[in-house]
Amino acid sequence: MRFLKKHFGKGTPPERVEMEEERLGPCVFEREAGEDVLRLISPSLSFGRHEGTEVEIEVPGEQTGEALRCLAGVHDRQETYLRKFYEGILSFCEEWEETDSEGNPVTMELVERNSSLFRVRVKESWTGNLTVSLNGMIFDDRQKDLLGCHSVVMEIDGETGEVEYDLEG
């Protein structure tokens, strides 16, 4: 028992990282010891009706300023990107022949009403470009998961603004 207490006891508190971005203002992040991921703790950024969305930056230290600028750019154009996110979700639902709780094909109205955006993450792609990914889920009107409980990922290229979609999970 002593080993467990010692090993799993209170560890190093998260490091606080403060940065400022012209459009977002002062931002406070936390980073757990031994991790490269910065998690935004203040201010809380909403994307459309989606509040409480986890925001993460996972890039090498020298790229954090550029990553924050990419995040701000996506946040500035959130209506455009949320529309594309919803279109991607609808496309997957059509491909999977998903239906609402009444057995009708999923519509854009259902997607807009019942999707959730749970994470926005800035990271470096395999090509070296920064990307901003939006991760979310879709439910029917009875809160049943659609798309086999997969989350939808829309990746936005930070340089070109081009988007790609994938399913995760």
Side-chain angles (χ1 to χ4, degrees), residues 2-155:
R2 249 186 218 155
F3 173 77
L4 289 177
K5 273 188 171 179
K6 188 174 183 183
H7 185 69
F8 293 107
K10 295 203 181 239
T12 308
E15 173 190 7
R16 291 175 68 91
V17 178
E18 296 182 20
M19 298 189 295
E20 185 155 342
E21 202 288 327
E22 180 181 312
R23 293 163 289 178
L24 297 176
C27 296
V28 179
F29 293 86
E30 280 188 347
R31 177 183 11 233
E32 295 293 329
E35 287 188 11
D36 292 332
V37 179
L38 295 171
R39 287 180 186 80
L40 183 66
I41 57 173
S42 175
S44 175
L45 293 182
S46 61
F47 287 82
R49 66 172 180 77
H50 307 281
E51 296 179 8
T53 303
E54 186 176 282
V55 177
E56 298 178 343
I57 294 179
E58 186 176 358
V59 298
E62 67 275 2
Q63 290 184 313
T64 54
E66 182 61 27
L68 192 56
R69 283 188 288 282
C70 280
L71 174 64
V74 168
H75 192 260
D76 287 348
R77 298 185 58 213
Q78 63 183 280
E79 287 181 30
T80 299
Y81 287 121
L82 281 172
R83 169 67 41 206
K84 291 181 179 195
F85 184 63
Y86 298 146
E87 289 169 358
I89 292 172
L90 181 60
S91 178
F92 281 124
C93 286
E94 290 170 347
E95 183 180 329
W96 284 48
E97 299 179 356
E98 291 286 7
T99 60
D100 65 14
S101 54
E102 304 297 319
N104 300 311
V106 170
T107 63
M108 181 57 82
E109 292 77 25
L110 183 127
V111 169
E112 290 173 351
R113 184 176 63 244
N114 292 350
S115 62
S116 68
L117 177 64
F118 61 82
R119 181 176 46 235
V120 175
R121 177 183 286 157
V122 184
K123 62 183 179 179
E124 188 176 28
S125 73
W126 62 274
T127 63
N129 290 352
L130 292 180
T131 62
V132 181
S133 63
L134 306 182
N135 299 64
M137 301 283 291
I138 179 70
F139 309 92
D140 70 10
D141 285 324
R142 295 186 182 144
Q143 295 304 300
K144 177 183 163 236
D145 290 316
L146 299 178
L147 298 175
C149 298
H150 290 84
S151 62
V152 175
V153 180
M154 182 178 87
E155 287 206 357

